[in-house]
Amino acid sequence: MIRPIVIHPDDRLRQLCAPVLSVDDDLRGLISDMFETMYDAPGRGLAAPQVGVLSRVFVMDATWKTGEPSPLAFVNPEILWASPEMQSNEEGCLSIPDMPVQVSRPARIEAMWLDETGTQRRGAFEGFEAACICHETDHLNGVLILDHEAAA
């Protein structure tokens, strides 16, 4: 089911999201809806607060617009390490339509999360994937690309 996307300045986009306590069928339904909504938008990442759910969940598929789809669901994600080397990219946000912002983020990161089955995962990401994970994790902490613009 495609869910409506919450648009800035909705207060839900500024909330710290609560940890997910159990990976169950309701959560898997949310994740499925989030993928459907993200692909329809069409975006490469979507965090739960962007569909009005204040839980630490996001989905992303960094490659589907340019290659084979590689969908990933992140539950209770943590960025464990970020490289000192930075990358600067123009980022868009489905909750802030038509307002791309130049954002600096780590060039490489290492993250840990639960997937949609509740299995703990750990992975290293670089380039656009690293930026996407940082962007979506920001959403879970109530941070928007506009906050990066003000700091630049």
Side-chain angles (χ1 to χ4, degrees):
M1 170 178 80
I2 296 172
R3 296 187 181 212
I5 294 175
V6 173
I7 301 297
H8 178 268
D10 191 297
D11 289 339
R12 291 172 289 182
L13 296 172
R14 292 298 191 172
Q15 301 300 310
L16 179 64
C17 292
V20 172
L21 300 178
S22 68
V23 178
D24 56 19
D25 287 343
D26 287 342
L27 182 67
R28 283 185 280 279
L30 170 65
I31 289 169
S32 176
D33 289 354
M34 288 174 64
F35 274 121
E36 192 173 345
T37 303
M38 179 191 75
Y39 288 127
D40 181 68
R44 293 187 187 187
L46 184 70
Q50 293 181 274
V51 293
V53 178
L54 299 179
S55 295
R56 296 191 72 77
V57 179
F58 71 82
V59 298
M60 75 171 215
D61 189 339
T63 60
W64 78 273
K65 290 184 178 185
T66 57
E68 289 296 313
S70 57
L72 292 171
F74 291 75
V75 178
N76 296 334
E78 292 179 54
I79 296 174
L80 303 173
W81 174 83
S83 70
E85 301 83 30
M86 302 296 280
Q87 61 180 329
S88 183
N89 298 298
E90 187 174 83
E91 292 184 17
C93 180
L94 296 175
S95 291
I96 309 171
D98 304 318
M99 280 190 64
V101 173
Q102 197 72 22
V103 178
S104 282
R105 299 203 186 266
R108 295 181 317 282
I109 64 164
E110 186 174 327
M112 184 170 60
W113 69 98
L114 299 176
D115 68 15
E116 64 277 6
T117 70
T119 302
Q120 187 169 334
R121 304 285 183 190
R122 188 174 180 141
F125 300 89
E126 61 183 32
F128 183 78
E129 286 182 317
C132 190
I133 290 168
C134 290
H135 177 113
E136 301 308 331
T137 300
D138 274 357
H139 273 298
L140 304 182
N141 295 321
V143 176
L144 302 174
I145 57 174
L146 300 174
D147 301 323
H148 291 279
E149 178 183 48

